[in-house]
C-alpha cells in the first residue's frame, strides 16, 4: 500500500543494497533513491506511531547519508531515541 511504512522501508533496503554493491563501486543515484524511500518510510512510521520501526528506518537512512558523504548523525541519534 502507498501508505505502508514497512513497504517503503523494504524498498529502501533493496535499493540501498543495490547502490552499495553495484559493480564498479557505489551507485550514488541508487543511494539517493534509497534515501528518498527511507525518508518517506520514516514519515509514514511517525504518522502511524511505529517508533521502533522509525528507529530502524532512521538508522539505515543515516548509513546512506554517510555513504553519500553527508552527515547521518541526526538520524543515528534519532534511532537511539526511538528504539533504545
Amino acid at each position: 500500500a502507498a501508505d505502508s511504512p514497512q513497504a517503503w522501508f523494504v524498498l529502501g533496503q533493496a535499493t540501498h543494497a543495490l547502490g552499495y554493491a553495484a559493480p564498479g563501486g557505489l551507485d550514488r543515484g541508487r543511494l539517493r533513491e534509497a534515501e528518498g524511500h527511507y525518508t518517506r518510510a520514516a514519515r509514514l512510521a511517525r504518522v502511524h506511531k511505529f517508533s521502533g520501526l522509525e528507529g530502524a528506518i532512521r538508522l539505515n537512512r543515516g548509513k546512506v547519508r554517510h555513504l553519500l558523504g553527508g552527515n547521518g548523525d541526526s538520524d543515528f541519534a534519532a534511532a537511539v531515541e526511538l528504539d533504545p
Side-chain angles (χ1 to χ4, degrees):
D3 67 343
S4 167
Q6 297 91 340
W8 286 102
F9 182 37
V10 170
L11 183 58
Q13 288 178 309
T15 309
H16 181 171
L18 289 171
Y20 183 76
L26 296 177
D27 181 337
R28 298 178 72 72
R30 284 196 192 257
L31 291 173
R32 282 189 292 277
E33 185 180 346
E35 181 182 15
H37 296 323
Y38 287 143
T39 296
R40 184 163 184 181
R43 182 173 37 81
L44 290 168
R46 190 170 34 258
V47 166
H48 292 289
K49 298 182 181 1
F50 297 152
S51 61
L53 179 62
E54 185 183 353
I57 295 164
R58 298 283 299 264
L59 176 67
N60 281 275
R61 187 175 68 180
K63 291 177 184 180
V64 167
R65 287 179 169 173
H66 178 74
L67 288 170
L68 290 169
N71 190 337
D73 290 352
S74 64
D75 279 324
F76 296 139
V80 171
E81 292 285 324
L82 290 162
D83 192 18

